[in-house]
Amino acid sequence: MMSGPARAVLVTGGSSGLGLEVARRLAGRGYVVGLMARDNDRLNSAIGALGGNESRLVACRGDAAEPADCARAVSRVIEVAGGLDALVCCAGTSLRAPVAQTSPAVAEMVMRANFWTVFHSIQAALPALKARGGALLAVSSLAGHRGVPGYGVYGAAKRALVGLCESLRLEVAGDGVHVGVFSPGFFDSPLRSKVLDGSGAIIEPPPPIPFRLWPLDLCADIAVYCLEKRVRRRYLPRFVRPLFAFDEATGGVVGDRFLRSRFRGL
Ligand SMILES: NC(=O)c1ccc[n+]([C@@H]2O[C@H](COP(=O)([O-])OP(=O)(O)OC[C@H]3O[C@@H](n4cnc5c(N)ncnc54)[C@H](OP(=O)(O)O)[C@@H]3O)[C@@H](O)[C@H]2O)c1
Protein backbone atom coordinates (compact mmCIF):
# COMPACT_ATOMS: atom_id res chain seq x y z
CA MET A 1 0.00 0.00 0.00
CA MET A 2 1.25 3.49 -0.82
CA SER A 3 1.58 6.17 1.81
CA GLY A 4 1.96 9.92 1.36
CA PRO A 5 1.21 11.76 -1.86
CA ALA A 6 1.24 9.75 -5.11
CA ARG A 7 4.28 10.09 -7.31
CA ALA A 8 3.47 11.70 -10.62
CA VAL A 9 5.00 11.64 -14.09
CA LEU A 10 4.32 13.36 -17.40
CA VAL A 11 5.15 11.29 -20.48
CA THR A 12 5.30 13.15 -23.78
CA GLY A 13 4.48 10.85 -26.67
CA GLY A 14 2.52 8.80 -24.15
CA SER A 15 -0.13 7.60 -26.61
CA SER A 16 2.06 5.17 -28.59
CA GLY A 17 5.15 3.00 -28.68
CA LEU A 18 7.79 3.62 -26.05
CA GLY A 19 5.88 6.41 -24.29
CA LEU A 20 2.81 4.23 -23.89
CA GLU A 21 4.83 1.29 -22.56
CA VAL A 22 6.72 3.53 -20.12
CA ALA A 23 3.36 4.96 -19.00
CA ARG A 24 2.01 1.43 -18.48
CA ARG A 25 4.96 0.48 -16.29
CA LEU A 26 4.88 3.65 -14.21
CA ALA A 27 1.10 3.41 -13.75
CA GLY A 28 1.67 -0.14 -12.52
CA ARG A 29 4.13 1.21 -9.97
CA GLY A 30 1.47 3.55 -8.57
CA TYR A 31 2.37 6.76 -10.36
CA VAL A 32 -0.23 9.24 -11.47
CA VAL A 33 0.60 9.36 -15.17
CA GLY A 34 -0.05 12.26 -17.54
CA LEU A 35 0.05 11.20 -21.18
CA MET A 36 0.76 13.94 -23.66
CA ALA A 37 0.20 13.65 -27.42
CA ARG A 38 -1.60 15.56 -30.16
CA ASP A 39 -4.12 13.08 -31.56
CA ASN A 40 -7.13 12.87 -29.28
CA ASP A 41 -8.42 9.48 -30.45
CA ARG A 42 -5.06 7.77 -30.01
CA LEU A 43 -4.67 9.44 -26.63
CA ASN A 44 -8.05 8.20 -25.45
CA SER A 45 -7.41 4.67 -26.65
CA ALA A 46 -4.07 4.73 -24.84
CA ILE A 47 -5.83 5.80 -21.63
CA GLY A 48 -8.33 2.98 -22.22
CA ALA A 49 -5.52 0.48 -22.84
CA LEU A 50 -4.01 1.45 -19.48
CA GLY A 51 -7.27 0.80 -17.65
CA GLY A 52 -8.93 4.22 -17.93
CA ASN A 53 -8.56 5.10 -14.23
CA GLU A 54 -9.35 8.83 -14.23
CA SER A 55 -7.82 9.49 -10.84
CA ARG A 56 -4.45 8.11 -11.94
CA LEU A 57 -4.32 8.63 -15.71
CA VAL A 58 -4.43 12.17 -17.07
CA ALA A 59 -5.02 12.81 -20.77
CA CYS A 60 -2.96 15.86 -21.70
CA ARG A 61 -3.80 16.53 -25.31
CA GLY A 62 -1.35 18.96 -26.83
CA ASP A 63 1.70 19.62 -28.93
CA ALA A 64 4.81 19.29 -26.79
CA ALA A 65 6.63 21.63 -29.18
CA GLU A 66 4.30 24.40 -27.94
CA PRO A 67 5.21 26.02 -24.62
CA ALA A 68 1.60 26.79 -23.68
CA ASP A 69 0.50 23.18 -24.27
CA CYS A 70 3.36 21.92 -22.11
CA ALA A 71 2.49 24.35 -19.31
CA ARG A 72 -1.12 23.15 -19.46
CA ALA A 73 -0.06 19.49 -19.36
CA VAL A 74 2.16 20.04 -16.32
CA SER A 75 -0.65 21.95 -14.54
CA ARG A 76 -3.15 19.16 -15.25
CA VAL A 77 -0.89 16.55 -13.67
CA ILE A 78 -0.18 18.77 -10.67
CA GLU A 79 -3.93 19.38 -10.25
CA VAL A 80 -4.50 15.64 -9.95
CA ALA A 81 -1.37 14.57 -8.07
CA GLY A 82 -0.34 17.68 -6.15
CA GLY A 83 3.09 17.78 -7.76
CA LEU A 84 5.36 16.28 -10.39
CA ASP A 85 8.20 13.83 -9.75
CA ALA A 86 9.24 12.90 -13.25
CA LEU A 87 9.17 13.80 -16.91
CA VAL A 88 9.80 11.32 -19.70
CA CYS A 89 10.32 12.87 -23.14
CA CYS A 90 9.34 10.26 -25.71
CA ALA A 91 7.58 12.43 -28.30
CA GLY A 92 9.25 12.17 -31.66
CA THR A 93 9.02 11.27 -35.29
CA SER A 94 11.35 9.58 -37.75
CA LEU A 95 12.87 10.77 -41.02
CA ARG A 96 15.04 8.79 -43.40
CA ALA A 97 16.30 10.98 -46.21
CA PRO A 98 19.62 12.28 -47.47
CA VAL A 99 20.24 15.85 -46.35
CA ALA A 100 20.22 17.13 -49.94
CA GLN A 101 16.75 15.65 -50.49
CA THR A 102 15.14 16.92 -47.31
CA SER A 103 12.83 19.88 -47.68
CA PRO A 104 13.51 22.67 -45.18
CA ALA A 105 9.91 22.49 -43.96
CA VAL A 106 10.25 18.78 -43.20
CA ALA A 107 13.59 19.39 -41.48
CA GLU A 108 11.97 22.01 -39.24
CA MET A 109 9.06 19.70 -38.46
CA VAL A 110 11.47 16.93 -37.44
CA MET A 111 13.39 19.35 -35.23
CA ARG A 112 10.11 20.41 -33.62
CA ALA A 113 9.03 16.85 -32.92
CA ASN A 114 12.37 15.59 -31.65
CA PHE A 115 14.08 18.59 -30.09
CA TRP A 116 11.60 21.39 -29.32
CA THR A 117 9.25 18.92 -27.62
CA VAL A 118 12.09 18.13 -25.23
CA PHE A 119 13.07 21.75 -24.66
CA HIS A 120 9.55 23.02 -24.00
CA SER A 121 8.39 20.12 -21.87
CA ILE A 122 11.53 20.42 -19.76
CA GLN A 123 11.08 24.17 -19.30
CA ALA A 124 7.46 23.65 -18.27
CA ALA A 125 8.22 20.81 -15.87
CA LEU A 126 11.41 22.07 -14.26
CA PRO A 127 9.95 24.23 -11.44
CA ALA A 128 7.75 21.33 -10.31
CA LEU A 129 10.61 18.83 -10.64
CA LYS A 130 12.82 21.08 -8.52
CA ALA A 131 10.16 21.29 -5.84
CA ARG A 132 10.23 17.49 -5.46
CA GLY A 133 13.85 16.75 -6.40
CA GLY A 134 12.51 14.82 -9.36
CA ALA A 135 13.99 13.15 -12.42
CA LEU A 136 13.69 13.48 -16.15
CA LEU A 137 14.60 11.16 -18.96
CA ALA A 138 14.87 12.21 -22.61
CA VAL A 139 14.87 9.67 -25.42
CA SER A 140 17.56 10.27 -28.01
CA SER A 141 18.86 7.66 -30.47
CA LEU A 142 22.16 6.11 -31.52
CA ALA A 143 21.83 8.44 -34.53
CA GLY A 144 22.21 11.29 -32.06
CA HIS A 145 25.75 10.13 -31.32
CA ARG A 146 27.06 8.94 -34.68
CA GLY A 147 26.34 10.15 -38.20
CA VAL A 148 24.45 7.62 -40.31
CA PRO A 149 23.48 8.02 -43.99
CA GLY A 150 19.87 9.17 -44.28
CA TYR A 151 19.64 10.31 -40.65
CA GLY A 152 21.31 13.72 -40.86
CA VAL A 153 18.34 15.82 -39.77
CA TYR A 154 16.92 13.24 -37.37
CA GLY A 155 20.39 12.75 -35.89
CA ALA A 156 20.86 16.51 -35.56
CA ALA A 157 17.65 16.77 -33.54
CA LYS A 158 18.62 13.84 -31.33
CA ARG A 159 22.13 15.18 -30.87
CA ALA A 160 20.73 18.59 -29.96
CA LEU A 161 18.71 17.10 -27.15
CA VAL A 162 21.78 15.30 -25.83
CA GLY A 163 23.61 18.64 -25.69
CA LEU A 164 20.66 20.26 -23.97
CA CYS A 165 20.34 17.54 -21.36
CA GLU A 166 24.07 17.18 -20.66
CA SER A 167 24.27 20.89 -19.77
CA LEU A 168 20.98 20.88 -17.91
CA ARG A 169 22.18 18.00 -15.73
CA LEU A 170 24.97 20.16 -14.38
CA GLU A 171 22.73 23.19 -13.98
CA VAL A 172 20.08 21.44 -11.87
CA ALA A 173 22.23 18.98 -9.93
CA GLY A 174 22.22 21.40 -6.98
CA ASP A 175 18.42 21.30 -6.95
CA GLY A 176 18.41 17.52 -6.64
CA VAL A 177 16.95 17.07 -10.12
CA HIS A 178 18.30 14.18 -12.17
CA VAL A 179 18.65 14.37 -15.96
CA GLY A 180 19.17 11.21 -18.01
CA VAL A 181 19.35 10.38 -21.71
CA PHE A 182 18.43 7.03 -23.22
CA SER A 183 19.78 6.39 -26.72
CA PRO A 184 18.40 3.22 -28.29
CA GLY A 185 18.99 1.73 -31.70
CA PHE A 186 16.01 0.67 -33.83
CA PHE A 187 13.17 -0.81 -31.78
CA ASP A 188 9.81 -2.28 -32.66
CA SER A 189 7.05 0.34 -32.40
CA PRO A 190 4.32 1.94 -34.55
CA LEU A 191 6.91 4.52 -35.61
CA ARG A 192 8.53 1.93 -37.86
CA SER A 193 5.57 2.17 -40.25
CA LYS A 194 5.52 6.00 -40.17
CA VAL A 195 9.07 6.81 -41.29
CA LEU A 196 9.04 9.93 -43.47
CA ASP A 197 10.98 10.71 -46.61
CA GLY A 198 12.44 14.12 -47.42
CA SER A 199 9.12 15.43 -48.73
CA GLY A 200 7.29 14.41 -45.56
CA ALA A 201 5.53 11.40 -47.13
CA ILE A 202 5.46 8.07 -45.31
CA ILE A 203 7.89 5.59 -46.86
CA GLU A 204 5.99 2.50 -48.01
CA PRO A 205 6.83 -0.22 -47.46
CA PRO A 206 8.83 0.84 -44.38
CA PRO A 207 12.57 1.04 -45.08
CA PRO A 208 14.63 -2.05 -44.25
CA ILE A 209 16.57 -1.99 -41.01
CA PRO A 210 20.25 -2.87 -41.31
CA PHE A 211 20.64 -3.68 -37.62
CA ARG A 212 18.80 -5.62 -34.99
CA LEU A 213 15.28 -4.43 -34.17
CA TRP A 214 15.03 -4.36 -30.36
CA PRO A 215 11.84 -5.42 -28.60
CA LEU A 216 9.68 -2.54 -27.36
CA ASP A 217 9.29 -4.14 -23.94
CA LEU A 218 13.04 -4.23 -23.44
CA CYS A 219 13.30 -0.54 -24.33
CA ALA A 220 10.51 0.38 -21.95
CA ASP A 221 12.06 -1.65 -19.12
CA ILE A 222 15.39 0.10 -19.67
CA ALA A 223 13.78 3.55 -19.82
CA VAL A 224 11.95 3.00 -16.53
CA TYR A 225 15.10 1.62 -14.93
CA CYS A 226 17.07 4.70 -16.09
CA LEU A 227 14.43 7.02 -14.68
CA GLU A 228 14.10 5.32 -11.31
CA LYS A 229 17.81 4.55 -10.80
CA ARG A 230 18.80 7.98 -12.07
CA VAL A 231 21.10 6.70 -14.80
CA ARG A 232 22.83 9.51 -16.69
CA ARG A 233 23.44 7.84 -20.07
CA ARG A 234 22.29 4.56 -21.47
CA TYR A 235 22.74 3.14 -24.96
CA LEU A 236 20.97 0.16 -26.48
CA PRO A 237 22.88 -1.98 -27.24
CA ARG A 238 25.45 -1.29 -24.56
CA PHE A 239 28.31 -2.56 -26.73
CA VAL A 240 28.15 0.58 -28.89
CA ARG A 241 30.01 2.42 -26.14
CA PRO A 242 33.37 0.76 -26.94
CA LEU A 243 32.55 0.97 -30.66
CA PHE A 244 32.05 4.73 -30.34
CA ALA A 245 35.42 4.94 -28.53
CA PHE A 246 37.07 2.91 -31.32
CA ASP A 247 35.39 5.11 -33.92
CA GLU A 248 36.72 8.23 -32.20
CA ALA A 249 40.23 6.76 -31.90
CA THR A 250 40.31 5.86 -35.60
CA GLY A 251 38.95 9.20 -36.79
CA GLY A 252 35.75 7.63 -38.05
CA VAL A 253 37.44 6.00 -41.06
CA VAL A 254 36.43 2.41 -40.34
CA GLY A 255 33.03 3.45 -39.01
CA ASP A 256 32.22 5.48 -42.13
CA ARG A 257 33.06 2.54 -44.38
CA PHE A 258 30.98 0.16 -42.29
CA LEU A 259 27.94 2.45 -42.10
CA ARG A 260 27.99 3.31 -45.81
CA SER A 261 27.91 -0.38 -46.61
CA ARG A 262 24.99 -0.92 -44.21
CA PHE A 263 22.90 1.98 -45.51
CA ARG A 264 23.47 1.54 -49.24
CA GLY A 265 21.54 3.87 -51.52
CA LEU A 266 21.39 6.75 -49.05
N1 LIG B 1 11.29 3.30 -32.89
C1 LIG B 1 12.60 3.40 -33.06
O1 LIG B 1 13.24 2.60 -33.77
C2 LIG B 1 13.37 4.48 -32.33
C3 LIG B 1 14.76 4.37 -32.23
C4 LIG B 1 15.47 5.34 -31.54
C5 LIG B 1 14.79 6.40 -30.92
N2 LIG B 1 13.44 6.47 -31.04
C6 LIG B 1 12.75 7.58 -30.39
O2 LIG B 1 11.94 7.07 -29.36
C7 LIG B 1 10.82 7.94 -29.13
C8 LIG B 1 9.53 7.14 -29.14
O3 LIG B 1 9.38 6.58 -30.43
P1 LIG B 1 8.31 5.46 -30.76
O4 LIG B 1 8.99 4.53 -31.69
O5 LIG B 1 7.68 4.96 -29.52
O6 LIG B 1 7.27 6.34 -31.63
P2 LIG B 1 5.69 6.27 -31.84
O7 LIG B 1 5.15 4.94 -31.51
O8 LIG B 1 5.43 6.82 -33.20
O9 LIG B 1 5.16 7.33 -30.76
C9 LIG B 1 5.47 8.68 -30.88
C10 LIG B 1 4.60 9.45 -29.90
O10 LIG B 1 4.99 10.83 -29.94
C11 LIG B 1 3.80 11.62 -30.05
N3 LIG B 1 4.20 12.89 -30.62
C12 LIG B 1 4.85 13.14 -31.79
N4 LIG B 1 5.03 14.46 -31.94
C13 LIG B 1 4.49 15.05 -30.84
C14 LIG B 1 4.36 16.39 -30.43
N5 LIG B 1 4.80 17.41 -31.18
N6 LIG B 1 3.77 16.66 -29.23
C15 LIG B 1 3.30 15.63 -28.47
N7 LIG B 1 3.40 14.35 -28.82
C16 LIG B 1 3.98 14.07 -30.00
C17 LIG B 1 2.87 10.76 -30.89
O11 LIG B 1 1.50 11.11 -30.76
P3 LIG B 1 0.80 12.21 -31.72
O12 LIG B 1 1.31 11.97 -33.11
O13 LIG B 1 -0.66 11.96 -31.55
O14 LIG B 1 1.20 13.54 -31.17
C18 LIG B 1 3.12 9.41 -30.23
O15 LIG B 1 2.40 9.33 -29.02
C19 LIG B 1 10.90 9.00 -30.24
O16 LIG B 1 11.49 10.17 -29.72
C20 LIG B 1 11.80 8.36 -31.29
O17 LIG B 1 12.47 9.31 -32.07
C21 LIG B 1 12.70 5.55 -31.73
Side-chain angles (χ1 to χ4, degrees):
M1 202 168 82
M2 269 179 36
S3 59
R7 290 181 295 173
V9 60
L10 176 64
V11 183
T12 74
S15 69
S16 175
L18 184 58
L20 175 58
E21 288 311 314
V22 166
R24 189 190 306 283
R25 283 156 178 75
L26 293 176
R29 284 164 159 75
Y31 280 77
V32 169
V33 182
L35 293 90
M36 185 172 193
R38 296 161 302 173
D39 185 280
N40 210 26
D41 291 345
R42 270 201 303 269
L43 194 54
N44 288 333
S45 34
I47 298 268
L50 298 184
N53 182 340
E54 281 177 20
S55 64
R56 309 204 71 85
L57 299 169
V58 187
C60 305
R61 201 193 70 74
D63 183 345
E66 289 293 333
D69 289 9
C70 290
R72 201 175 318 118
V74 168
S75 298
R76 283 280 295 119
V77 176
I78 292 174
E79 237 170 62
V80 173
L84 186 71
D85 300 270
L87 170 70
V88 182
C89 304
C90 284
T93 194
S94 186
L95 171 73
R96 178 161 157 148
V99 173
Q101 290 159 32
T102 303
S103 93
V106 170
E108 285 190 15
M109 184 271 284
V110 169
M111 288 301 293
R112 268 180 72 82
N114 291 290
F115 173 72
W116 291 107
T117 55
V118 177
F119 176 82
H120 290 304
S121 58
I122 286 177
Q123 278 211 331
L126 215 44
L129 293 177
K130 284 182 180 174
R132 285 196 175 178
L136 72 89
L137 180 75
V139 179
S140 179
S141 159
L142 294 184
H145 299 267
R146 211 308 174 182
V148 177
Y151 290 84
V153 173
Y154 178 78
K158 292 302 192 186
R159 188 174 289 220
L161 82 81
V162 172
L164 180 85
C165 290
E166 294 278 311
S167 293
L168 179 69
R169 178 185 306 128
L170 307 180
E171 292 166 6
V172 298
D175 299 302
V177 175
H178 167 75
V179 181
V181 176
F182 175 36
S183 302
F186 296 111
F187 61 83
D188 198 7
S189 81
L191 187 63
R192 299 262 45 89
S193 55
K194 293 184 292 190
V195 179
L196 305 177
D197 68 15
S199 71
I202 291 175
I203 302 175
E204 288 184 292
I209 291 168
F211 296 115
R212 179 171 175 185
L213 187 65
W214 296 96
L216 180 57
D217 279 341
L218 175 66
C219 282
D221 288 344
I222 293 172
V224 169
Y225 179 88
C226 290
L227 183 74
E228 294 208 312
K229 299 293 179 192
R230 298 191 163 223
V231 175
R232 289 182 172 83
R233 297 178 192 137
R234 176 67 155 88
Y235 303 98
L236 179 68
R238 275 196 159 143
F239 65 72
V240 297
R241 216 184 243 271
L243 292 181
F244 284 156
F246 173 78
D247 192 42
E248 194 57 37
T250 55
V253 176
V254 182
D256 278 8
R257 202 175 308 137
F258 172 70
L259 288 166
R260 286 183 65 211
S261 74
R262 286 295 178 123
F263 291 85
R264 271 187 211 291
L266 286 162

